[in-house]
Amino acid sequence: MSTNYYVRTADTPVDSEGIHLGQHAAGGFTFRAHPDRSVTDYQSWLAQLDSGQIVTDSGRAVTRDEMIQVASEQSRIPSWAERGTAHSGGAGFYDMDGRRWLSVDFC
């Protein structure tokens, strides 16, 4: 089972889930990069946590600390992947700390 996480800002329409933060699945977390909003590294990802209410795809509210805890539960980098290199045709990458990022919609 997987859980998607979103941040709902004051500008989030009522019928929208919000800004996708990432997904926890299979024992690891995949971060959602948003290059159009300059969210492409961990520090910018952390900053967006303060922009509104963090919720799961089932609507459960999550604190900032809980979100950081979930995001820190990462899977090991696959043996074929190198830190700091792109994969999936440039749509994703592993940062130097081994965090997996995708810059395309996924759920």
Side-chain angles (χ1 to χ4, degrees):
M1 185 169 164
S2 66
T3 303
N4 286 283
Y5 294 84
Y6 302 88
V7 64
R8 294 185 52 81
T9 67
D11 298 330
T12 302
V14 175
D15 60 347
S16 173
E17 293 174 311
I19 300 166
H20 193 204
L21 296 170
Q23 180 186 67
H24 187 270
F29 190 80
T30 300
F31 291 82
R32 174 60 162 93
H34 294 276
D36 58 322
R37 293 186 7 263
S38 299
V39 177
T40 57
D41 62 29
Y42 189 63
Q43 292 306 314
S44 58
W45 184 86
L46 282 175
Q48 72 182 347
L49 298 182
D50 298 324
S51 65
Q53 181 184 30
I54 303 166
V55 296
T56 66
D57 48 11
S58 65
R60 183 176 67 86
V62 177
T63 68
R64 184 181 199 278
D65 289 343
E66 287 174 299
M67 183 73 256
I68 292 169
Q69 171 94 26
V70 167
S72 69
E73 297 172 8
Q74 301 172 45
S75 299
R76 250 183 43 148
I77 300 173
S79 60
W80 52 264
E82 294 181 38
R83 293 172 194 245
T85 60
H87 68 90
S88 300
F93 59 94
Y94 289 91
D95 66 18
M96 295 307 288
D97 293 315
R99 295 179 192 96
R100 182 176 184 219
W101 294 82
L102 289 176
S103 61
V104 294
D105 288 333
F106 66 94
C107 289

